[in-house]
Amino acid sequence: MIALQELTIEDKAVFERYTKGKLENSGSSFSNMFIWRNTYDTKYALVDGFLVVFYQSKKGTIHPTMPRGTGNLLSVLQKIHAFLSSINQEFVMEAVTEEDTATLRKLLGNRVVVCEERNLFDYVYLAQDLITLSGKKLHSKRNHINKFNSLYQWEYRPLTPDLFEQCLACADVWLGEKYDADDPDYKGEMLSLREAFRHFEALGFSGGTLFVDGKMVAFTIGEQLTDDMALIHIEKADVSYQGAYPMINKEYASHQWSDMTYINREEDLGIPGLRKAKLSYNPYKLIKTYTCKLYPENEGGTL
């Protein structure tokens, strides 16, 4: 039987043995899983030399991630299937990469049904595009930056521990304009922010802030995901300040990630406004992901 373990900050080293620098998708980031672990009841198991993460969706279903490791993958998948069957759950993996989808198809043939999951595609940009905003396709972004410059006396500051509480207070206000206080999404976002700040250094985070006339109007948090790619986890701004989002995006990229080739700004979750905004930055590529449903050879049998 698979023995699930709680996710702790000490597990970062364990996860990185299997994933660090090997995957470009945001879902592979330990930091991402860790700061959202309470919202999604995230746990993990080591199964015959493979790392497998389990989490609970908003619908209450339990999902495993693609196993990471070396050895007999089919045997591990069979054990995951047996475990999920024992708790009356189907074997459905979300956010599976193209490469992993091909592996599953080669291993299981028609016993895996694959569905493209557009809402979970990661948006990857050239770092220099986000820094310079050059070219016709980013003309509107330059206009936003120019507008911000013309309207406000502003200052960029690195996100340091003395600003953590101020960030939380601002996020509480900004999210409060979007959600009711008892909304699960509001609670989840605030909880993930507290976890990010509580373990900021241990998670390898960096961040940036914008101030206008001494008032915080935006902040962001990211990390280095691979040798040449940064990953942006969190970006919040006061929308009453025109151009605050484009400016914090540009300034953080300029100050922190000028030595990176790529910047991953995660998925759009199917939110129309967020998709429009992410596409408007002319992504270099989208990291495609898929939902894979695995079936046994026979009803009630094993994979």
Side-chain angles (χ1 to χ4, degrees):
M1 180 59 69
I2 291 176
L4 299 184
Q5 303 180 54
E6 299 289 338
L7 203 58
T8 69
I9 194 63
E10 288 76 21
D11 293 319
K12 185 172 186 285
V14 175
F15 273 63
E16 290 185 346
R17 286 204 298 270
Y18 293 91
T19 63
K20 183 66 173 178
K22 300 175 183 177
L23 299 167
E24 294 183 337
N25 60 310
S26 60
S28 69
S29 162
F30 172 81
S31 301
N32 212 344
M33 289 182 272
F34 182 80
I35 65 175
W36 288 97
R37 71 192 187 285
N38 296 308
T39 299
Y40 295 103
D41 193 25
T42 307
K43 295 179 173 61
Y44 78 97
L46 296 176
V47 185
D48 298 344
F50 285 79
L51 171 71
V52 188
V53 178
F54 293 82
Y55 63 92
Q56 183 171 301
S57 73
K58 291 182 179 180
K59 296 179 180 179
T61 52
I62 308 298
H63 299 272
T65 60
M66 182 71 180
R68 299 290 168 206
T70 56
N72 190 336
L73 176 59
L74 179 59
S75 174
V76 172
L77 292 172
Q78 289 170 338
K79 290 181 179 181
I80 295 171
H81 175 260
F83 169 72
L84 291 171
S85 296
S86 74
I87 56 174
N88 299 313
Q89 295 287 321
E90 295 183 314
F91 195 158
V92 180
M93 289 190 287
E94 300 176 317
V96 183
T97 66
E98 286 190 287
E99 182 180 357
D100 289 335
T101 298
T103 297
L104 291 172
R105 279 175 161 156
K106 183 177 180 180
L107 195 63
L108 297 172
N110 60 9
R111 284 177 286 158
V112 57
V113 174
V114 177
C115 179
E116 186 176 275
E117 188 54 79
R118 175 62 179 83
N119 295 348
L120 299 181
F121 286 11
D122 278 355
Y123 290 75
V124 176
Y125 306 86
L126 293 176
Q128 286 304 310
D129 283 353
L130 298 187
I131 292 169
T132 64
L133 300 177
S134 60
K136 288 184 178 180
K137 291 183 177 180
L138 296 176
H139 176 72
S140 65
K141 301 305 177 186
R142 296 196 300 276
N143 286 342
H144 288 308
I145 296 298
N146 292 336
K147 186 71 170 179
F148 192 86
N149 281 324
S150 69
L151 289 175
Y152 311 115
Q153 293 293 319
W154 62 274
E155 176 189 7
Y156 174 87
R157 302 180 195 173
L159 180 49
T160 50
D162 58 299
L163 297 175
F164 289 174
E165 288 301 320
Q166 193 171 352
C167 288
L168 284 170
C170 286
D172 192 32
V173 172
W174 301 336
L175 290 171
E177 296 170 352
K178 182 179 178 182
Y179 300 113
D180 293 330
D182 59 351
D183 191 307
D185 289 335
Y186 163 78
K187 293 179 179 179
E189 287 210 47
M190 288 303 299
L191 183 55
S192 70
L193 279 169
R194 292 189 187 97
E195 289 301 294
F197 288 127
R198 185 175 294 124
H199 302 282
F200 196 85
E201 183 177 359
L203 290 171
F205 284 159
S206 68
T209 65
L210 280 184
F211 283 79
V212 172
D213 297 326
K215 176 186 177 182
M216 182 180 288
V217 299
F219 70 88
T220 186
I221 297 172
E223 67 168 324
Q224 184 171 336
L225 184 63
T226 69
D227 289 342
D228 60 0
M229 182 179 290
L231 172 62
I232 310 303
H233 288 289
I234 294 164
E235 190 177 80
K236 303 295 180 189
D238 186 337
V239 294
S240 68
Y241 287 81
Q242 296 181 51
Y245 269 111
M247 185 60 87
I248 189 61
N249 183 348
K250 180 181 188 299
E251 287 297 301
Y252 181 52
S254 300
H255 284 84
Q256 188 65 38
W257 302 121
S258 61
D259 59 339
M260 291 289 106
T261 304
Y262 308 106
I263 295 179
N264 183 327
R265 292 182 55 79
E266 298 190 339
E267 68 282 286
D268 62 37
L269 299 175
I271 301 169
L274 192 55
R275 178 167 297 181
K276 182 179 179 181
K278 289 179 181 287
L279 287 172
S280 71
Y281 272 96
N282 189 33
Y284 172 73
K285 66 176 179 179
L286 301 181
I287 299 178
K288 293 183 177 182
T289 55
Y290 303 83
T291 295
C292 296
K293 186 171 183 178
L294 282 64
Y295 292 91
E297 287 187 282
N298 304 297
E299 185 67 30
T302 60
L303 287 177

